Amino acid sequence: MAVGVLCAVQGAAEAIIVQAVEQTGGRLSVTRRCADLTELLAAAEAGLGRLAVVSGDLDLLDREAIELLHRAGVRVIGIGDATRPWLGERLAALGADLVAAAPHDEASANEVVRDALVVLGTAPDGDTHDSSWPDEQTVRRPARGLVVAVWGPTGAPGRTTVAVNVAAELAAAGRRTLLVDGDTYGGCVAQVVGMLDEAPGLAAAARAAGQGTLDLTTLARITPTIAPDLRVLSGISRADRWPELPSSSLDAVWTVARGLAEWTVIDCGFCLEQDEALSYDTRAPRRNAATLSALEAADVVLAVGAGDPVGIQRLVRGLGELTDLGLGSTRMVLVNRVRASVAGPQPGEAVAQALARYAGVPDAHLVPDDGPALDTALLEARTLREAAPGSPARRAIAGVAVRLDALLVGAPSVEPVVAVRA
């Protein structure tokens, strides 16, 4: 049975490609010639094809559109232009399964068709991939850094405080670190570190990723340096701007971030709901896409809970929810604001026993309550390391950073980024 092909190619190349597809001896068949992206997505969601051939300059084509095609089970071949090399690079960045040069005659069209059969896994024996554009496997990718997602259940357990100070400690240890505000409900990293929250930040990075233009230089330009080896990618300024952060674009942001920094520390929102009511509409935006995308991309999830009875209960349930969703296979648990006034005369022992008994966590990291030091740091918009270096809370968080940093042993080092004026 012929594999359906959806053709959304502009210009003279369309007719050449369609003719070459119809000459494959019944292996491929053009089922829809689409005039625009809307028609292409509708045909894909209707199951009319398994392969889409798309012009790189098709109006409104972005990473989200290619992600929707992939969700519909459609592989994507992007058609570039040899006179515009950047177009092929953009298609690869958007996630096309293959990028090929626009054919100008029957022979070059047959090459595109052979490449399509390779992508589908139906090429005849002896056929090899031979295209003038690099495919997704050969595009230069940034070296791999590590990502830690700082997450915690509802109730303000101190996610942002932990994320900011862990990032500061990693940077102080000489690791190039990127601090990201990924909380779409109440992000406040910019204010905590003394930045203007009107900075473009994560929304700008997501837009660039969606258009296939996000690279190391672009990401470095929108992440100002607030301390040696510490950059910040601020979050959205209002909670109602969450649709600006689709998961497909954020996945690309995390990938580029791995090349910019040795550690990317993401301050996540609390909610893990996956909007099951919208699961039948693959084009609907997801309210918690930023948090879920960060947790899925993370090499380590640092789960933060409050050191009181309610906070421990929420943390235990939250850890169970992470497990049920298959998130955070490598996990560290931190209990914040541990104090005798609410946990008894031996608060550390009480908290440790509760987590071991109800969550199976034998080695939680405990951060003692130090209100005066934290208040000073918040008032002065500085990290604990700067405002109160002798604080017990700071020393505990520094210990967590040391444990995290040890995970870099044996990991590939990242390449230096091109110097960009912040």
Side-chain angles (χ1 to χ4, degrees):
M1 183 176 179
V3 174
V5 177
L6 307 175
C7 189
V9 178
Q10 299 179 330
E14 181 193 26
I16 301 175
I17 291 175
V18 169
Q19 183 178 3
V21 167
E22 296 301 335
Q23 293 177 350
T24 58
R27 286 178 290 173
L28 300 177
S29 176
V30 175
T31 54
R32 181 66 62 89
R33 299 171 74 170
C34 304
D36 53 29
L37 181 63
T38 300
E39 185 178 359
L40 174 64
L41 293 176
E45 292 176 2
L48 298 183
R50 285 179 48 206
L51 179 70
V53 185
V54 185
S55 287
D57 54 359
L58 185 68
D59 287 344
L60 303 180
L61 182 68
D62 57 12
R63 189 175 184 87
E64 182 71 9
I66 291 183
E67 176 68 16
L68 292 173
L69 290 170
H70 285 159
R71 291 181 190 173
V74 177
R75 306 298 294 273
V76 180
I77 293 183
I79 300 300
D81 185 342
T83 64
R84 295 183 289 174
W86 59 267
L87 196 58
E89 296 173 1
R90 175 176 180 268
L91 283 165
L94 291 178
D97 298 287
L98 177 71
V99 180
H104 52 83
D105 55 22
E106 182 178 351
S108 56
N110 288 334
E111 289 183 6
V112 174
V113 170
R114 285 196 296 271
D115 292 339
L117 293 171
V118 171
V119 168
L120 291 169
T122 59
D125 294 340
D127 273 8
T128 59
H129 176 71
D130 181 18
S131 175
S132 57
W133 287 95
D135 64 19
E136 190 181 21
Q137 304 302 319
T138 60
V139 171
R140 180 181 178 275
R141 296 188 182 279
R144 181 180 176 84
L146 298 179
V147 174
V148 55
V150 181
W151 174 87
T154 186
R159 293 180 298 270
T160 300
T161 297
V162 171
V164 168
N165 286 285
V166 163
E169 296 295 338
L170 289 170
R175 301 297 189 185
R176 294 196 302 278
T177 304
L178 174 63
L179 173 63
V180 181
D181 190 346
D183 187 347
T184 56
Y185 286 90
C188 57
V189 167
Q191 184 176 9
V192 169
V193 300
M195 290 173 51
L196 293 176
D197 60 4
E198 288 83 5
L202 187 57
R207 284 194 294 273
Q211 295 299 320
T213 59
L214 183 68
D215 55 17
L216 292 176
T217 302
T218 302
L219 186 58
R221 186 178 298 118
I222 60 177
T223 53
T225 300
I226 64 169
D229 291 320
L230 179 58
R231 292 178 175 271
V232 176
L233 186 61
S234 58
I236 55 177
S237 57
R238 301 190 312 273
D240 59 0
R241 292 181 59 190
W242 64 266
E244 298 179 33
L245 304 176
S247 59
S248 59
S249 295
L250 291 178
D251 291 343
V253 173
W254 313 144
T255 298
V256 178
R258 291 179 186 274
L260 180 66
E262 293 170 278
W263 273 109
T264 299
V265 181
I266 308 173
D267 179 20
C268 300
F270 68 92
C271 192
L272 300 178
E273 290 180 352
Q274 300 197 63
D275 303 325
E276 292 184 3
L278 300 177
S279 61
Y280 297 105
D281 184 357
T282 58
R283 301 182 63 180
R286 302 300 175 91
R287 178 63 180 88
N288 303 306
T291 295
L292 294 172
S293 172
L295 290 171
E296 290 170 357
D299 299 285
V300 184
V301 172
L302 180 55
V304 180
D308 57 68
V310 174
I312 294 298
Q313 181 192 52
R314 288 172 172 168
L315 178 59
V316 170
R317 291 178 176 175
L319 292 173
E321 192 172 357
L322 283 176
T323 300
D324 292 342
L325 295 175
L327 301 172
S329 57
T330 301
R331 187 183 304 170
M332 295 175 63
V333 176
L334 182 150
V335 181
N336 198 25
R337 298 191 62 197
V338 177
R339 57 203 187 278
S341 60
V342 73
Q346 295 180 316
E349 183 178 342
V351 167
Q353 288 179 354
L355 288 176
R357 178 178 180 182
Y358 297 108
V361 177
D363 55 351
H365 298 270
L366 307 181
V367 177
D369 190 21
D370 191 356
L374 289 165
D375 289 346
T376 299
L378 185 59
L379 175 64
E380 299 176 0
R382 297 194 295 170
T383 64
L384 281 173
R385 182 182 182 83
E386 298 169 321
S391 164
R394 181 256 159 176
R395 290 198 298 267
I397 293 176
V400 173
V402 170
R403 285 283 302 276
L404 278 172
D405 197 40
L407 296 175
L408 269 180
V409 176
S413 60
V414 298
E415 300 172 358
V417 65
V418 176
V420 176
R421 187 181 304 275

